[in-house]
Amino acid sequence: MTFSRMADRRPVETRVERDDGVVFAMRGAGGGGDLPHDLVHALVETELGVADGIWGCVADGVVWRSMRHVSGRQPPHAAERSARLKRERAAAIQRAEGLADLVGRCARGAEVLPGEASALGLPPDRVAGAAAALADAARRWRSLAVGETWTVEWRAPGRRRRR
């Protein structure tokens, strides 16, 4: 995944290349000095070893509405597979959203209620570690000039490497 730093609050542009060679362009939330939402997911899911989150779904064939096909031959029945995976993984996707929100708030020093981490199945020390990594990433993102990019290779335990 290659995230392009845009000016001010313009949507972030991301290039996603799956292992099967299919390439997508995405527009996502974030922009300016704020970490892009999709980059937050990539970093949090990698840091916490979440294999079935947003990016694990993309690696397995999910295509979100924000994704536009750029190149590469999509496998047969790709749209049906994407829809099926979204249904099957709805709970995991919601958990990934909750994790990204929780770790993001911790990284920004925002309020976190007691027990939120354990409700998501994580010990507080793992959340704190992911929050520290995300805070470092936010500093790195802010240091990028408009037009510069940051490439992240998504990976999760027990899987081949994903881009």
Side-chain angles (χ1 to χ4, degrees):
M1 298 165 277
T2 301
F3 297 86
S4 298
R5 173 85 148 67
M6 306 302 286
D8 303 321
R9 297 288 303 159
R10 288 183 46 204
V12 174
E13 295 181 8
T14 306
R15 181 179 186 271
V16 179
E17 182 179 344
R18 293 191 321 211
D19 282 351
D20 63 3
V22 179
V23 178
F24 295 93
M26 289 179 71
R27 292 185 68 102
D34 295 338
L35 268 177
H37 180 72
D38 295 322
L39 178 55
V40 169
H41 272 283
L43 297 170
V44 169
E45 291 172 19
T46 297
E47 187 72 26
L48 296 176
V50 177
D52 58 357
I54 302 303
W55 290 106
C57 287
V58 169
D60 290 340
V62 166
V63 177
W64 306 109
R65 284 187 305 218
S66 60
M67 297 169 72
R68 180 180 50 81
H69 180 254
V70 173
S71 66
R73 185 180 170 125
Q74 295 195 64
H77 311 290
E80 293 86 353
R81 177 178 172 76
S82 175
R84 179 179 52 79
L85 287 171
K86 287 177 187 176
R87 285 190 307 276
E88 291 173 357
R89 297 184 182 177
I93 292 165
Q94 286 299 323
R95 181 174 183 268
E97 289 291 352
L99 289 171
D101 174 65
L102 174 66
V103 174
R105 284 186 287 130
C106 288
R108 293 186 308 275
E111 181 179 5
V112 174
L113 300 175
E116 274 190 89
S118 59
L120 289 169
L122 289 173
D125 62 323
R126 295 230 19 239
V127 172
L134 197 59
D136 287 342
R139 285 188 286 279
R140 179 177 170 194
W141 180 259
R142 283 190 299 272
S143 73
L144 292 177
V146 171
E148 287 188 309
T149 61
W150 183 355
T151 299
V152 175
E153 189 164 335
W154 182 86
R155 63 198 178 289
R159 289 182 174 242
R160 295 183 334 228
R161 295 183 343 167
R162 307 280 184 195
R163 289 177 66 99

